[in-house]
Amino acid sequence: MAKDFSTLEDSNRSSNPSVHEALDPARRQVLYGGAMAVLAPFLAPLAGCAGLVGSAAPRLGFEGVAVSSADAVVVPAGYSAMPFVPWGDPVGIAGRLPAFADDASNSATEQAVQMGMHHDGIHYFALDGSRRGLLVMNHEYVDHGLLFTDGVVPWTAEKVRKSQAAHGVSVSEIELADGRWQPVRPSPYARRITATTPFAIGGPAAGHTLMKTAADPEGRSVLGTFANCAAGMTPWGTYLSGEENFQDYFSTADQPTAHERRWGLRKRSWYRWAEHDERFDTVRHPNEPNRFGWIVEIDPHDPTSTPVKRTALGRAAHEGAWVALTRDGRAVVYSGEDAAFEYIYKFVSRDPVRAGGAGVSAARANAELLDHGTLYVARFDADGRGRWLPLVHGQGPLTNDRGFADPGEVVVKARQASDTLGGTKMDRPEWLAIDPASRWVYCALTGNRARGQPNKPGVDAANPRAGNVMGHIIRWREADDFDGESFEWNHLVLAGDPANERPEARGNVTGDLFACPDGLAIDARGVLWIDTDMGPNSMGKGEFQRLGNNAMLACDPASGEVRRFLVGPVNCEITGAAWTPDGRTMFVNIQHPGEPPGVLSDPADPRRWSNWPDFRPAGRPRSATVVVRKDDGGVIGT
């Protein structure tokens, strides 16, 4: 999820040539299942419903729900949805279990051991199959009007500390008991990773001049992660999290440098941390922003492990990261950059994944796997083909005389390198999903109002609508294997209403209408699940009201049919989807319920828009996970 800054002036954007021949979005996939045998050892968590893949049974085996504007979660008949582990509940660290205070009076110290705010990317790591596991999730950003009893006035060092403690990642142990999921508290696995947790730096930027600061003259360690959005899970059992809108946390000089402008940094930050934590002041610490915008890797099975920022995957406003395996066992990591006119990336590891058993041993066996390999940026051509352009120092224009002194500078300045290579500037690429059976890779492009506007890139084959307010889903398949440098591509769907008179809002959706696709996930049957992030500021008030609250939909990629499965409460965003190995429990995150449209805080009355999920008279809306189960105990979606 990203706030839409597409109308902000950015004079430093390069003007890569656009292509103007739009592809026929109706092209359909040809299934290719050769990867399944290679991936099978790493798909054990999905074994409970693997037999359903490719079956003749209807893929969308539920009645779609209607549009809703209620302050509630709506699911199909025969399903239940239970709110779970909301912001402020204790994460489960022994001896540190402070209860959530309805008036937001919890201290920064207490918040550091409670669930963070604004749940986003999520994964389930099995400890005992589908009965017990670890639920790991991001906390993308905060609403200071809800986080504090008195909003941002006065602004204090304690409030900065609490804001930093509400960011990051949570690891919780959960178990299924008597048919109901519940948190395990205390748990030896429970952990909170925040904006002040120590991280190691791995890959080509480790120790680089651009990563060195007064507090870290070696450039090999950094405090914290924040703006964490979508998430991926590696075959060796670790969690990958993307640092997305990191630029909003830093304050610059009156005139930012060219490098700072290219990354969207500005004089006044959204979060005002620099006023009480000087490392967020780039005048004093100009390299500190270079230490954010990375994919971070976390071992949820070892609460003593140090998380690592994997710089070989490139610095970007990363939405998240998703992993495939080549036939010879090397890791391929796909990622998108959720910002207008930014890029889609792929990283191919140099070495194959090493066997190491499960849990901690597997993570240790592959502790440096993502530090060595080749990073690419995508170019989508008008003929339905595409190329992966290598971001390799010394190749093509990525040389010292063009501003790239070494491999470390290439990954720190991945945007500038992609500009130079001529990657395709996309309409906010968000979550990706990889189908190991068909080998199609899907990417949600939420939208881009600035497409085709004066002094902005025009439409092209991959991004065919000017003033794109509805978004679309693009997909590609590598020519041979996931490490290939060429691919075929097409549009799965252009979101919107086919009957809309405005071209920028007209889509080709078959089934239930939707707009602004954000989260994506593939289940074991090959169904694509779509989360939406609509808002009146990005798509127009009329369309927003017609489509109701944000929703999760299921799509059969073979037929293109889309069916609405879940609708969230007022002004929320639906984020993420994860399943237990048997496919009988789905975890979905409800982010920022009740957030005032276009406003980051509403301290006067936090219950003005929503009081979900507690509905207590003195309470306030809280982001939470929703546990979805079928009443008959069956597989979700069948």
Side-chain angles (χ1 to χ4, degrees):
M1 177 269 186
K3 298 298 172 189
D4 187 353
F5 300 127
S6 61
T7 59
L8 292 178
E9 187 65 26
D10 187 353
S11 60
N12 196 52
R13 291 194 188 278
S14 69
S15 54
N16 295 338
S18 294
V19 288
H20 300 280
E21 180 185 347
L23 267 182
D24 176 7
R27 292 177 60 198
R28 291 296 167 202
Q29 68 184 39
V30 178
L31 295 180
Y32 179 75
M36 189 58 73
V38 175
L39 290 169
F42 303 103
L43 293 177
L46 300 178
C49 37
L52 296 169
V53 176
S55 69
R59 286 189 170 184
L60 306 184
F62 62 91
E63 293 294 326
V65 301
V67 169
S68 171
S69 298
D71 195 22
V73 173
V74 180
V75 291
Y79 286 82
S80 62
M82 179 188 76
F84 193 57
V85 291
W87 157 53
D89 273 19
V91 75
I93 299 172
R96 306 177 71 187
L97 300 170
F100 174 72
D102 280 347
D103 64 355
S105 61
N106 291 110
S107 67
T109 300
E110 291 173 328
Q111 177 61 77
V113 293
Q114 294 172 318
M115 297 296 295
M117 202 176 217
H118 291 352
H119 300 20
D120 208 294
I122 185 171
H123 277 290
Y124 173 87
F125 293 80
L127 296 175
D128 182 13
S130 299
R131 294 178 293 275
R132 186 171 66 92
L134 302 178
L135 201 61
V136 187
M137 73 181 73
N138 296 333
H139 304 289
E140 185 183 5
Y141 69 106
V142 300
D143 184 327
H144 287 154
L146 298 179
L147 189 62
F148 310 122
T149 58
D150 54 356
V152 298
V153 181
W155 188 238
T156 66
E158 170 67 9
K159 288 181 178 178
V160 170
R161 286 191 290 270
K162 185 175 181 183
S163 179
Q164 292 175 342
H167 283 73
V169 178
S170 290
V171 180
S172 303
E173 184 180 354
I174 62 173
E175 65 179 358
L176 183 64
D178 299 324
R180 186 180 179 88
W181 284 95
Q182 58 190 23
V184 176
R185 301 177 182 141
S187 166
Y189 297 100
R191 186 179 190 184
R192 279 286 283 115
I193 295 166
T194 73
T196 59
T197 300
F199 276 72
I201 300 172
H208 195 276
T209 299
L210 291 172
M211 301 288 280
K212 295 178 179 179
T213 64
D216 175 29
E218 299 299 318
R220 295 185 178 275
S221 62
V222 60
L223 290 181
T225 189
F226 46 82
N228 302 83
C229 201
M233 182 167 59
T234 70
W236 51 96
T238 59
Y239 182 80
L240 300 179
S241 175
E243 297 178 328
E244 189 190 6
N245 285 317
F246 66 92
Q247 73 280 353
D248 295 335
Y249 296 80
F250 292 91
S251 179
T252 70
D254 290 338
Q255 296 297 324
T257 67
H259 178 54
E260 289 173 337
R261 288 197 306 272
R262 183 63 186 87
W263 291 90
L265 276 72
R266 52 195 179 274
K267 170 63 178 175
R268 184 174 175 83
S269 75
W270 282 95
Y271 294 95
R272 300 177 59 188
W273 289 359
E275 295 175 32
H276 295 285
D277 187 342
E278 70 171 49
R279 72 186 174 111
F280 293 94
D281 180 349
T282 69
V283 175
R284 296 183 179 185
H285 304 284
N287 283 346
E288 191 68 22
N290 296 334
R291 293 143 66 83
F292 296 89
W294 304 103
I295 297 296
V296 301
E297 184 174 14
I298 298 166
D299 180 3
H301 299 92
D302 182 3
T304 68
S305 61
T306 300
V308 182
K309 301 201 175 189
R310 299 298 183 188
T311 67
L313 277 61
R315 179 167 169 260
H318 283 292
E319 181 76 11
W322 292 266
V323 185
L325 290 178
T326 62
R327 293 186 180 91
D328 61 3
R330 287 172 295 131
V332 178
V333 185
Y334 294 95
S335 64
E337 189 167 13
D338 180 12
F341 304 115
E342 300 302 346
Y343 299 105
I344 293 174
Y345 296 96
K346 177 174 84 170
F347 169 84
V348 180
S349 71
R350 180 190 66 190
D351 304 318
V353 176
R354 296 178 180 175
V360 175
S361 59
R364 290 175 179 169
N366 295 283
E368 297 182 1
L369 183 74
L370 298 183
D371 288 340
H372 307 284
T374 304
L375 180 67
Y376 300 85
V377 64
R379 188 190 73 204
F380 293 84
D381 296 330
D383 62 356
R385 308 297 301 176
R387 297 288 302 177
W388 292 106
L389 310 175
L391 278 76
V392 175
H393 178 257
Q395 289 189 18
L398 302 183
T399 57
N400 186 58
D401 62 339
R402 297 291 295 271
F404 304 100
D406 49 45
E409 190 159 4
V410 170
V411 295
V412 170
K413 297 180 178 178
R415 274 188 182 175
Q416 292 96 317
S418 298
D419 294 342
T420 303
L421 290 175
T424 300
K425 293 178 174 292
M426 306 298 288
D427 286 351
R428 292 181 54 198
E430 301 222 35
W431 292 59
L432 290 95
I434 304 166
D435 187 340
S438 70
R439 302 176 73 84
W440 284 100
V441 183
Y442 298 84
C443 181
L445 297 141
T446 293
N448 181 4
R449 290 179 299 168
R451 173 72 64 179
Q453 299 302 309
N455 303 315
K456 298 292 183 181
V459 298
D460 58 39
N463 307 277
R465 290 188 286 188
N468 182 9
V469 295
M470 292 296 187
H472 53 286
I473 298 175
I474 200 168
R475 61 182 176 182
W476 63 87
R477 188 171 59 185
E478 311 292 354
D480 179 41
D481 201 353
F482 286 113
D483 64 343
E485 293 193 2
S486 64
F487 55 89
E488 63 173 305
W489 70 270
N490 60 54
H491 293 113
L492 175 70
V493 64
L494 302 180
D497 183 352
N500 201 304
E501 295 182 357
R502 298 189 300 131
E504 68 273 20
R506 189 183 306 135
N508 63 350
V509 179
T510 300
D512 292 336
L513 299 182
F514 72 97
C516 304
D518 188 333
L520 296 179
I522 294 273
D523 71 14
R525 299 180 303 127
V527 173
L528 179 69
W529 296 81
I530 305 167
D531 303 329
T532 69
D533 182 16
M534 303 178 294
N537 294 334
S538 62
M539 63 185 294
K541 187 175 180 180
E543 282 93 354
F544 179 69
Q545 290 176 337
R546 178 180 179 185
L547 291 170
N549 296 345
N550 277 301
M552 166 183 271
L553 304 99
C555 173
D556 181 349
S559 68
E561 181 190 359
V562 176
R563 198 173 296 179
R564 191 178 299 105
F565 178 79
L566 176 151
V567 182
V570 172
N571 290 357
C572 80
E573 176 189 344
I574 308 299
T575 63
W579 292 264
T580 51
D582 61 9
R584 300 173 189 275
T585 299
M586 173 192 280
F587 302 98
V588 180
N589 276 335
I590 306 296
Q591 189 185 93
H592 63 69
E595 179 176 85
V599 181
L600 279 178
S601 63
D602 185 17
D605 184 3
R607 297 173 303 282
R608 175 181 171 193
W609 302 96
S610 171
N611 202 6
W612 186 89
D614 301 322
F615 299 105
R616 291 196 290 264
R620 53 191 61 209
R622 295 202 277 169
S623 295
T625 301
V626 169
V627 178
V628 180
R629 286 176 61 81
K630 207 171 181 182
D631 295 344
D632 64 6
V635 173
I636 300 294
T638 61

